[in-house]
Structures are given as C-alpha cells and as structure tokens.
Amino acid sequence: MQSVPAEPVDSGVYHYRLNGQETAVEERWQRRRHASGEWQVSSSRRATGLEILVDARVNAGLVTSFDVAWCQPGRADIHAEYGLAADRVVVSRRVSTEVAATEEVLLHVGAAPPLLFPLMRIFTGPLIARLLEGAGKGAVVLPAIADPADRAALLRPVLSQREARVVEEGIELELAGARFQCSRCEYLGDQYGPGSWFWLGADELLVRYQWQQSPQQHWDVWLQRDGEFSGRVCD
C-alpha cells in the first residue's frame, strides 16, 4: 500500500512575463513527502481558456511516473498517465471518459533510461541537474503540447534529445523579496536554442528562465515561493 503523503513541505508559483509585460499564465506547485521518502509533486498551469494539471512521483531526483490532464472549457478533457519501466516508457492516454489507448516508447538495449519530464517548471531544475550529471546531454520523454490545435497528438509521448551546461556559478538573484544563490545554465533541445538561460538554485529548484521563442516573443519566468496552491482537478 502506498504511504500517505504529509502536508505540503514546499509550495510556490511561477510568474510569466512576455516582452516585459505580465501575462495571465500562472503556474502553481506544491511538494509533499511520503514516509517512504518518495516525493509527490503537483502543479497546475492556468492561462486564458486553458488549464494543465500534473501529479508526479519523484524518487531520488528522478520522475518515475506522472499523470497529466489538459482541460479547456467546451472541449473534452485529455488525460495521460506516464510510467517508466526497465526497458520502456508506458503511456495510457484517454479523451474524457473514452477507453484509454496505450502507447510505448521502447528503449535501446544498453542505453541509459530517458528522463521523464511532466512539462511544468517545478520539474525543470531537477531535469537540468540530471542532464549535467550525465555529461550534459540525454534523452527526455515528455507529453506533446507544441500544437494545441492538433488534439490527436496532445499529451502523446515525444522523445527528445536535450543538452545543458553551466555558464556561470555563484550568482545571487533577488525575486519577490527572496534571495537565491544560483547557477546560470544554457538548456538546449527542440524549441530551446542558444541563449536559453535557466537559473538553478542550490536545491535544484528552477529560480528563473529566459527564452526567445521568436524574434517577437521573449519570455521571462520567475519563481515566487510559498504561493497559494489550488488543488482543483479536472472531472
């Protein structure tokens, strides 16, 4: 029987700025610890007309499984469950109350297992830290959200090659009245090109990141700890 998690030991919110302006995107998270030592990490990303919900299990800094839901008013919710096995990633995906379809990402014999990435910023810091431990590169499996209009592809697994490197250490940032000791890293792969900067705190928490999505779109995302968390789930 799985142990019951304690009350949240840590929580916060990521704020999103686009071209220097505050946006309606808000990403809340909380972390709880089971008696077994495993962590349960929940996060919700809310924007105009959209909500993404994630609940993940984390052991020794690695995501071992997670559930994700894509919710839009007036459209059927999409749910997916991801689990890492010895030689594959198993994904069960369903639309609303329909029967779930199972899909597998098979791993090459002898290859290092991929890192599971449940989309949210709270998981980005540990992901980059694991890449740095693995010579700065590795395979990552994450749910597809690049084209929200393609609902047949939404939340299906994507295998991506990612890279990370430390650019500068010993940086002090002050955000929302809190001071953080950070390392600035460059994170590369898929939509993240050269100059995508990610600041990691000493506890592997992502503190800030800046990303040039296009010549007209520059994102600046920053952390405020101890934010109010809402545990609403999709029906």
Side-chain angles (χ1 to χ4, degrees):
M1 180 181 296
Q2 187 179 41
S3 58
V4 177
E7 291 300 311
V9 297
D10 199 10
S11 62
V13 57
Y14 286 99
H15 300 279
Y16 283 67
R17 291 193 184 103
L18 178 60
N19 301 330
Q21 301 297 315
E22 296 287 347
T23 72
V25 181
E26 187 178 75
E27 194 168 302
R28 299 188 179 274
W29 56 269
Q30 65 177 1
R31 300 191 287 192
R32 305 168 183 260
R33 191 162 195 166
H34 292 262
S36 64
E38 182 183 54
W39 287 86
Q40 179 177 330
V41 184
S42 302
S43 184
S44 64
R45 180 184 301 169
R46 295 182 173 92
T48 303
L50 173 64
E51 185 172 24
I52 307 173
L53 301 168
V54 168
D55 188 60
R57 274 63 62 194
V58 181
N59 192 3
L62 293 170
V63 176
T64 56
S65 64
F66 67 88
D67 305 332
V68 56
W70 179 280
C71 310
Q72 290 178 281
R75 308 204 71 171
D77 296 339
I78 301 175
H79 300 255
E81 299 176 4
Y82 280 65
L84 182 61
D87 62 346
R88 68 195 64 202
V89 176
V90 181
V91 181
S92 177
R93 179 184 179 276
R94 64 179 173 85
V95 178
S96 187
T97 58
E98 296 178 3
V99 175
T102 300
E103 186 172 353
E104 296 182 344
V105 179
L106 298 178
L107 311 181
H108 294 296
V109 176
L115 299 168
L116 294 185
F117 179 51
L119 299 172
M120 304 301 199
R121 300 308 98 188
I122 186 61
F123 303 102
T124 304
L127 173 68
I128 292 176
R130 300 292 81 76
L131 289 172
L132 292 172
E133 291 174 350
K137 59 180 61 177
V140 176
V141 173
L142 68 157
I145 61 169
D147 183 3
D150 186 0
R151 290 181 61 83
L154 270 177
L155 303 190
R156 290 186 61 191
V158 174
L159 180 62
S160 175
Q161 296 297 318
R162 300 293 172 97
E163 299 182 21
R165 67 183 182 96
V166 177
V167 177
E168 186 178 4
E169 297 181 319
I171 299 172
E172 184 174 277
L173 289 182
E174 183 172 350
L175 298 168
R179 293 183 180 274
F180 300 90
Q181 292 294 324
C182 306
S183 297
R184 181 167 64 97
C185 302
E186 186 177 49
Y187 179 50
L188 304 171
D190 289 345
Q191 71 268 35
Y192 296 112
S196 298
W197 306 124
F198 290 69
W199 285 261
L200 270 59
D203 56 358
E204 299 185 350
L205 199 64
L206 179 68
V207 173
R208 184 180 191 180
Y209 85 89
Q210 295 182 337
W211 170 45
Q212 192 74 41
Q213 184 177 6
S214 72
Q216 295 78 34
Q217 294 177 296
H218 181 266
W219 290 96
D220 187 358
V221 178
W222 57 277
L223 169 68
Q224 181 179 2
R225 300 189 84 156
D226 299 321
E228 179 184 357
F229 182 84
S230 171
R232 190 185 80 78
V233 298
C234 295
D235 296 330

